[in-house]
Amino acid sequence: MKSTAAANANIALVKYWGKRDSRLILPQNSSISMTCDGLTTKTTVEFSEKYGKDTVLINDEELVKDERDILGHIERIRSMAGIKEKAKVISESNFPVAAGLASSASGFAALTLAAATAAGLKLSEKELTILSRQGSGSSCRSIPEGFVEWHKGIAADGSDSYAESIAGKNHWHDFSMIACIVSEAKKKVSSRAGMAQTVATSPYYDGWLRTVDEDLRKIREGILNKDFSLVGITAEQNCLKMHALMMTTRPSIIYWIPATLEIIHHVQAWREEGIECYFTIDGGPQVKVMCLEKDEKELNKRLLDLEGVKKTVLCKPGDGAQLIGEHLF
Ligand code: 2P0
């Protein structure tokens, strides 16, 4: 009753921002992301009678304040499997947690696969995405490989709200994403709270919903045809629309710091100079720069030369969640 899984974070090209059901975690709109090979979480789960309670260790820190309801997710899996044993969970990520680099996505995806397997459940990839979604929405997109669409679904029970790969990890190796870390501080407003506040108060939320299907269509077409300009322009615009929602929410949510804006301005200037690149930003200050492989080295060097950039991680379309043989305990 012990299993270990590895899952990569995913970065959305069309963002998930807003729920229609917060208990089942059902989104208002579909979203598309890339599963990123450089941002990985490994998680070992063991269910055993020898444990008197559930314990969770994330990056060497014991879970005290369970803000993401990780214990609720373990209980969900335990009750699906019909077992009683308590769990020991150890999880390690190779990138900063809780600063807007999709750590909850890779974390919940790895936890879901490891815990479901340790509990004896035999689930298809689609079933795993539905289960992981109930822990944290965007984590369902970290189960499949490469470029992934999370279909919002229409059923009230969430049975058709799942994620699937629309192009595998080898489909477009030329596509690169440079994740720039500009701050390792924990964010002040969680995505969960931020998106609820947005749906309730941003005057532009209707506009987001009216235009998101067009963004999804363009991103799908761009990925399938490997049309970098179409993907880049659409993803950057979609990111700016999401941040405009955040900024116009009451109270306003501004995740950007000066270094975020510094990168935005440089990306635009480099593009004018002829190096094609685009940015996207999630619920935090970090910026992910999209480019083609031929420009990756030069752009990475330029990004590292900027004062506010502490570190970069180069990402390619990566593997979906997988079981691995090496346990963390
Ligand atoms: C995304 N984000 O599509 C968007 C863009 C952040 C900005 O999905 O409440 O941690 O657990 O479903 O998945 C972050 O939201 O929220 C997120 P819950 P989650 O990647």
Side-chain angles (χ1 to χ4, degrees):
M1 294 181 92
K2 185 176 189 176
S3 292
T4 302
N8 289 313
N10 70 78
I11 304 297
L13 303 169
V14 177
K15 311 291 187 189
Y16 148 52
W17 198 252
K19 295 179 175 67
R20 67 174 199 279
D21 182 320
S22 57
R23 191 181 60 86
L24 289 170
I25 309 202
L26 299 175
Q28 292 265 4
N29 62 277
S30 297
S31 52
I32 297 178
S33 58
M34 183 180 102
T35 301
C36 296
D37 70 354
L39 304 166
T40 311
T41 301
K42 290 182 183 169
T43 302
T44 299
V45 179
E46 182 177 40
F47 290 103
S48 168
E49 283 175 352
K50 66 186 174 207
Y51 303 126
K53 62 175 179 106
D54 291 329
T55 53
V56 178
L57 223 75
I58 300 175
N59 290 338
D60 297 325
E61 270 187 45
E62 184 151 359
L63 181 76
V64 208
K65 224 170 119 207
D66 188 13
E67 286 167 3
R68 309 291 319 221
D69 198 20
I70 293 168
L71 297 178
H73 197 54
I74 294 168
E75 186 52 42
R76 181 178 294 118
I77 292 167
R78 191 161 35 221
S79 81
M80 265 177 90
I83 59 169
K84 294 259 175 297
E85 290 84 351
K86 298 293 180 198
K88 176 173 174 179
V89 178
I90 293 192
S91 183
E92 283 169 11
S93 295
N94 66 350
F95 60 96
V97 167
L101 264 187
S103 58
S104 87
S106 55
F108 272 94
L111 173 67
T112 301
L113 178 58
T117 309
L121 291 169
K122 294 208 165 33
L123 302 177
S124 66
E125 182 183 272
K126 179 177 174 180
E127 289 167 330
L128 278 168
T129 72
I130 289 174
L131 178 57
S132 199
R133 186 205 78 220
Q134 295 170 67
S136 179
S138 58
S139 75
C140 71
R141 297 190 313 237
S142 279
I143 302 274
E145 66 166 298
F147 294 91
V148 176
E149 178 159 359
W150 172 13
H151 303 282
K152 67 176 176 170
I154 49 167
D157 67 356
S159 54
D160 58 354
S161 186
Y162 69 99
E164 68 177 338
S165 181
I166 55 174
K169 64 170 185 166
N170 296 320
H171 166 72
W172 195 5
H173 196 74
D174 243 6
F175 190 95
S176 298
M177 184 105 67
I178 307 173
C180 304
I181 295 164
V182 296
S183 164
E184 303 206 7
K186 190 175 185 293
K187 57 188 174 189
K188 288 196 184 87
V189 183
S190 72
S191 292
R192 187 164 291 187
M195 65 177 87
Q197 211 171 290
T198 302
V199 176
T201 68
S202 173
Y204 300 140
Y205 198 68
D206 284 348
W208 166 263
L209 291 180
R210 253 199 331 276
T211 56
V212 73
D213 285 340
E214 180 66 8
D215 292 350
L216 288 160
R217 192 188 61 69
K218 287 181 179 162
I219 292 284
R220 257 184 237 119
E221 182 186 317
I223 290 169
L224 294 177
N225 296 332
K226 299 180 202 167
D227 181 340
F228 182 63
S229 305
L230 183 61
V231 170
I233 290 166
T234 311
E236 190 176 288
Q237 169 76 8
N238 183 268
C239 152
L240 289 171
K241 282 195 285 187
M242 179 184 71
H243 283 271
L245 294 179
M246 296 166 168
M247 288 175 189
T248 51
T249 289
R250 277 173 296 150
S252 171
I253 303 164
I254 302 178
Y255 286 119
W256 300 359
I257 61 173
T260 312
L261 212 46
E262 187 190 9
I263 301 174
I264 290 176
H265 288 148
H266 278 90
V267 165
Q268 288 174 337
W270 295 332
R271 205 152 68 207
E272 275 168 29
E273 196 187 297
I275 306 181
E276 196 174 7
C277 54
Y278 302 90
F279 61 83
T280 188
I281 305 158
D282 292 293
Q286 330 300 355
V287 184
K288 294 90 183 186
V289 177
M290 293 167 269
C291 64
L292 289 168
E293 189 160 271
K294 67 178 173 60
D295 297 320
E296 187 188 276
K297 254 198 176 148
E298 173 64 20
L299 281 170
N300 189 46
K301 189 176 145 298
R302 292 186 184 199
L303 287 162
L304 283 169
D305 279 346
L306 300 180
E307 204 181 318
V309 176
K310 293 185 193 296
K311 191 181 154 190
T312 59
V313 184
L314 303 181
C315 301
K316 287 284 181 186
D319 282 315
Q322 288 180 336
L323 291 170
I324 54 173
E326 269 166 58
H327 298 309
L328 298 178
F329 62 92

